[in-house]
Amino acid sequence: MTDIRAPQDAAEDESQLAFPEDGRNAVQASAAAATATADDGDGAGAGPAAGWGWFRWAWRQLTSMRTALVLLFLLALGSVPGSILPQQGQDPAAVQNYFNSHPALAPWLNHLGLFNTFAAPWFAAIYLLLFASLVGCVVPRTFRLAGQARMPPPRAPRNLGRLPHSESYAVALPPVQAVAAAAAILRGKRFRLRHPAADEAGGWVSAEKGYLREAGNLLFHLALLGVLVSVAIGGLFGYKADKLIVEGQTFSDTLTALDEFHPGRLVTGSDLAPFQLTLKQFSASYYTSGESRGQPSSFDARVSYSSSPGAPSRPYDIRINQPLNVDSVKVYLIGHGYAPEFTVTDAAGKVVYDEAPPFIPANTGTFLSDGVVKVPDAAPDQLGFIGVFVPTGVTAGGILDSAFPAPYNPAVSLLGYAGDLGLNSGLAQSVFQLDTSAMTKITSRPFLLQPGQSFTLPGGRGKITFTGYKQWASLAVTYDPGQVPALICGMLAIAGLLLSFLVRRRRVFVRAVPAAADGERSVVTVGGLARTDASGGFEDEFTELVAQLSSGEATPRSIIRAPRGAPDGKATTSGAQQPASHDSKTDPGA
Amino acid sequence: MVGDGTVRLGIVRKRRTIASVAVVTVVLLAGGLAVTLTSGSGQATGVTHVDGNPSAVLYPAGHRAQVPDFSGTTLTGTKLNFAGYRGKVVVLNFWGSWCGPCRSEGPTLAALSAKYQGSGVSFLGVDVHDSPVNAAAFEQDAGIKYPSLNDPGYAVALTLGNTVPISGTPTTVVVDPTGHVAGAVFGPVTYSVLNSILTKVTA
């Protein structure tokens, strides 16, 4: 134990004191010093050797920040055609129209998959590469951060006076005990300590605090991975469906009852939550005066639902931003409109139609709405009507219009047809469109009806009665199992980011050297180093710490015991040890 | 961390980390791609198609799902319980007067119900999302005499749940005398296909 290996301190490189960089491809500073050229992953110039080298080079390129940014930009760019051009999934009819109006261009766009952008292979390639790039960047960084969060502080540098902060004081204790006293105080202040190893020269202690910064950074990266995984879970196991439902109607959350169903990759119809929902009443209120006259002020869809067949039925009010939650399936209100109700009596005097077909708002400001009435079982011919519904009817210059979205003066205008609706051909038809190709017009011009009024059809074909109106609501049924995890991960990511921004990592080194030949008095030098001390504060902390260390020193009772593995006092304080070169600062009198 | 050996070790470990991360990513991507390509191709075992028609299926004995019991009111106002059909083959047809394919298969179903009357086969319609007035007018036009449950809210389809994957109207389910699903036609039936199913199930 008398072997004092002072020269070993010479290995203490200044670079080891520096904190690891925060850059994306930062490597540990100590390793970087030795392998600076080979390991600079971001450098595009790093030439591959062969085989494994090529692969490593490609992987480096893929996971570099630059590539991720380019991919992110491409993803945004790639989504543009999806919002400009009509999409097959959302509106096949509009795609067909586009084909008709651009016969030369459309097939080319179709070859590029631009009518189904979000399912196109090139679009999938972009987001899969982006995902790979993010994972490939974040995972190794996570390991590195975990390593950093566990790393002990470096050895105390030889010359603490060169650090940004340093102070010295004299104490009436041998150096080893002086250092032990300082270590006890630092430990009490929750610093992580590093003592000299058994075979090292003693008389110093390193302390570091603020590892929460690395923990926060780690949390941020793990949470980022969590967000990616959550989004993937949502995409695989979630689904979205739409349903238009008229007041008084019921629908079941089963495949056949839904108007549209967009399942996730691993979802089938049998995975739907088996609830049933009845729209009791829908009401919307509108501002009746002022600048926003006619704008909606509130929507309220009063429903009753049961979570499974036979379960008790419960009431609920679905409003905007207040969805119904059934077994973590959410039912949102996404639209509304009017459904005028008609009865039709045919030539034989039989009531062959009694329904409230939903009309689609053509003007969302006034709710002037379009729709059709199909009477396939009228005798002698099928009947069809193209209609316009106005909630607040006004006639200006012989043209019917709506003055307000609320039903203050509801009216319908209808144009009648007779012939073949095309329904019996076996082809599915839109309930919002009338195919008049095999029909003849039976009314020369539209006729106007108010609630309760009837119109006798020409040629003894019977009559149609506008019995009243109902309202309909359009509901979105969504299930996204990744939503809550994504939210939690998002919050954790922000928390981690805050920690890594707010917590400073700072290092404090203490060295003691004998002040006199008898070794009973020492000069203690304290050095401090803070990382990213932009907000300041470390200087004050350091001054206060030095004050506590030097005053704590005055009461030898606070010394608990000498640190484990430290050389005993006599050996350390032997004259063989080469005192560190002192500058004027270390003079006790300074 | 400073000696030459440590640095070398660091590089090796680093290379290994890159390799493992790359492998994990590739496996994840491949797995995702596989899931993407194979999803929806799952097929119940032992199912056979009728006359090579992919939308008409027969389930062999032992692979038939039990139909849960359901009840309701018919279009003419009579209470009806499905359990009352036990002991007979039941042709359960989901339809609506608004649905083009249902209208086109209506006369076929009417003809087959007449043919199998008295052979232990009962026809039962489930009229979904419809107005009873419109439905009654259609039944009269198509000559359908058998009863139909008035089911505007798709309650029967919900009750059947996973026993038969009903994805739209029309769907026709053939239930054997023990109350199990023996066959189904997804989409409009043709005379020959439903006749062939009924011949096999009643045999």
Side-chain angles (χ1 to χ4, degrees):
Chain A
M1 290 304 279
T2 50
D3 177 22
I4 308 302
R5 301 166 69 188
Q8 196 179 17
D9 266 4
E12 293 283 358
D13 193 323
E14 284 297 323
S15 74
Q16 205 200 337
L17 285 174
F19 293 92
E21 272 181 60
D22 213 5
R24 198 180 199 222
N25 278 288
V27 286
Q28 288 177 4
S30 53
T35 63
T37 49
D39 266 355
D40 189 5
D42 217 1
W52 161 250
W54 273 108
F55 174 73
R56 199 171 60 155
W57 177 80
W59 182 252
R60 285 260 168 82
Q61 295 305 306
L62 178 64
T63 56
S64 74
M65 172 83 91
R66 193 185 316 157
T67 308
L69 285 176
V70 167
L71 286 171
L72 202 60
F73 176 72
L74 281 178
L75 195 71
L77 202 67
S79 326
V80 170
S83 50
I84 291 179
L85 293 170
Q87 295 294 296
Q88 199 72 49
Q90 288 144 20
D91 196 352
V95 174
Q96 196 52 50
N97 287 343
Y98 195 89
F99 264 85
N100 294 340
S101 52
H102 303 82
L105 181 63
W108 284 102
L109 297 179
N110 194 33
H111 277 306
L112 296 172
L114 295 183
F115 293 115
N116 210 351
T117 308
F118 301 111
W122 57 265
F123 193 81
I126 295 176
Y127 70 71
L128 286 178
L129 282 174
L130 180 62
F131 188 82
S133 173
L134 285 177
V135 170
C137 159
V138 167
V139 170
R141 237 177 110 55
T142 305
F143 284 118
R144 206 151 49 222
L145 287 168
Q148 277 172 24
R150 287 201 319 262
M151 229 167 31
R155 291 185 198 81
R158 192 184 181 87
N159 187 352
L160 296 181
R162 282 202 211 147
L163 292 175
H165 307 276
S166 68
E167 296 272 351
S168 293
Y169 56 89
V171 291
L173 279 173
V176 168
Q177 287 175 33
V179 167
I185 290 173
L186 287 169
R187 187 185 291 116
K189 298 180 90 56
R190 305 174 64 85
F191 273 86
R192 186 181 294 181
L193 301 183
R194 175 169 177 170
H195 299 289
D199 55 352
E200 282 181 294
W204 57 269
V205 67
S206 302
E208 183 163 1
K209 205 177 174 179
Y211 283 89
L212 262 184
R213 180 192 185 85
E214 251 52 59
N217 216 335
L218 188 62
L219 181 67
F220 171 74
H221 281 84
L222 287 176
L224 215 58
L225 283 179
V227 169
L228 287 177
V229 169
S230 306
V231 169
I233 287 176
L236 289 176
F237 299 100
Y239 61 82
K240 182 177 183 298
D242 293 332
K243 177 67 185 175
L244 187 154
I245 182 170
V246 179
E247 284 173 329
Q249 282 184 349
T250 301
F251 94 95
S252 305
D253 189 32
T254 176
L255 212 47
T256 174
L258 297 166
D259 297 336
E260 275 186 38
F261 182 53
H262 306 285
R265 286 288 173 194
L266 296 180
V267 174
T268 62
S270 55
D271 296 324
L272 295 171
F275 69 90
Q276 231 176 359
L277 183 148
T278 305
L279 180 63
K280 295 279 187 198
Q281 195 190 23
F282 178 86
S283 55
S285 30
Y286 304 91
Y287 296 105
T288 51
S289 60
E291 277 206 357
S292 49
R293 182 179 181 278
Q295 299 288 315
S297 57
S298 73
F299 302 102
D300 182 7
R302 282 177 48 210
V303 303
S304 67
Y305 70 99
S306 56
S307 55
S308 62
S313 145
R314 297 195 202 94
Y316 192 79
D317 280 20
I318 303 178
R319 296 194 168 96
I320 302 294
N321 295 330
Q322 188 189 308
L324 167 67
N325 196 334
V326 196
D327 295 338
S328 64
V329 171
K330 291 206 168 70
V331 183
Y332 292 91
L333 178 64
I334 55 168
H336 69 108
Y338 291 96
E341 199 171 6
F342 301 97
T343 58
V344 176
T345 310
D346 69 359
K350 202 177 96 182
V351 180
V352 288
Y353 186 92
D354 179 7
E355 210 182 323
F359 276 36
I360 302 300
N363 180 333
T364 48
T366 65
F367 272 80
L368 175 118
S369 309
D370 295 328
V372 299
V373 179
K374 295 180 193 181
V375 193
D377 295 298
D381 297 310
Q382 294 186 328
L383 297 172
F385 301 87
I386 295 177
V388 170
F389 174 87
V390 284
T392 301
V394 286
T395 318
I399 294 172
L400 180 69
D401 204 349
S402 177
F404 199 75
Y408 290 130
N409 181 27
V412 286
S413 168
L414 296 171
L415 197 56
Y417 291 84
D420 183 3
L421 287 166
L423 256 182
N424 291 23
S425 68
L427 293 176
Q429 271 192 3
S430 163
V431 293
F432 302 112
Q433 274 163 358
L434 192 69
D435 177 9
T436 57
S437 57
M439 304 189 89
T440 49
K441 210 187 273 185
I442 53 169
T443 55
S444 53
R445 53 196 186 83
F447 55 92
L448 191 71
L449 293 177
Q450 288 186 313
Q453 291 182 338
S454 296
F455 180 80
T456 304
L457 302 170
R461 291 178 182 277
K463 65 170 184 177
I464 181 166
T465 308
F466 175 33
T467 53
Y469 66 90
K470 288 179 174 174
Q471 299 203 50
W472 56 261
S474 176
L475 304 175
V477 180
T478 60
Y479 173 59
D480 187 352
Q483 208 173 30
V484 172
L487 177 72
I488 292 171
C489 289
M491 292 194 305
L492 288 178
I494 291 173
L497 208 57
L498 281 177
L499 271 184
S500 73
F501 277 145
L502 296 180
V503 175
R504 265 190 320 267
R505 240 173 110 170
R506 56 265 193 210
R507 289 174 179 168
V508 172
F509 304 100
V510 179
R511 265 188 187 280
V513 290
D518 64 357
E520 292 306 312
R521 293 174 56 81
S522 358
V523 174
V524 178
T525 309
V526 185
L529 181 67
R531 174 199 213 179
T532 57
D533 193 25
S535 54
F538 179 64
E539 194 160 357
D540 297 341
E541 188 186 358
F542 182 74
T543 314
E544 196 183 325
L545 194 65
V546 172
Q548 282 172 342
L549 291 177
S550 56
S551 65
E553 185 54 51
T555 52
R557 276 173 297 168
S558 71
I559 299 167
I560 298 162
R561 61 180 178 84
R564 191 160 39 91
D568 66 84
K570 280 215 161 58
T572 322
T573 53
S574 76
Q577 189 180 15
Q578 182 63 45
S581 61
H582 289 179
D583 58 20
S584 61
K585 257 181 159 179
T586 55
D587 188 297
Chain B
M1 291 301 268
V2 204
D4 198 41
T6 331
V7 172
R8 205 137 281 292
L9 193 72
I11 292 174
V12 170
R13 188 183 292 169
K14 194 170 167 53
R15 186 178 288 188
R16 204 176 294 156
T17 310
I18 291 177
S20 56
V21 168
V23 164
V24 165
T25 312
V26 166
V27 164
L28 279 179
L29 287 181
L33 204 66
V35 163
T36 307
L37 295 177
T38 57
S39 65
S41 64
Q43 188 71 259
T45 48
V47 172
T48 53
H49 295 295
V50 182
D51 304 343
N53 188 334
S55 57
V57 295
L58 265 174
Y59 303 97
H63 292 97
R64 295 178 177 178
Q66 169 88 48
V67 177
D69 194 23
F70 56 86
S71 57
T73 311
T74 65
L75 289 169
T76 51
T78 317
K79 290 259 182 239
L80 191 147
N81 200 328
F82 184 69
Y85 284 90
R86 202 54 53 83
K88 285 178 170 176
V89 171
V90 187
V91 177
L92 196 61
N93 174 246
F94 291 84
W95 67 283
S97 72
W98 45 269
C99 141
C102 308
R103 297 182 66 87
S104 72
E105 70 169 2
T108 308
L109 288 166
L112 279 164
S113 73
K115 182 192 171 190
Y116 280 91
Q117 200 162 27
S119 338
V121 178
S122 296
F123 280 62
L124 174 63
V126 180
D127 179 33
V128 295
H129 201 246
D130 213 348
S131 118
V133 170
N134 303 12
F138 168 69
E139 287 194 317
Q140 196 176 348
D141 269 11
I144 291 171
K145 303 283 199 300
Y146 57 82
S148 270
L149 285 174
N150 179 25
D151 184 18
Y154 295 91
V156 175
L158 189 68
T159 307
L160 257 57
N162 298 342
T163 30
V164 192
I166 301 172
S167 59
T169 18
T171 296
T172 306
V173 181
V174 179
V175 183
D176 70 15
T178 63
H180 290 74
V181 179
V185 180
F186 306 102
V189 299
T190 60
Y191 191 94
S192 65
V193 162
L194 188 56
N195 191 37
S196 151
I197 293 179
L198 286 176
T199 311
K200 284 173 180 129
V201 174
T202 52

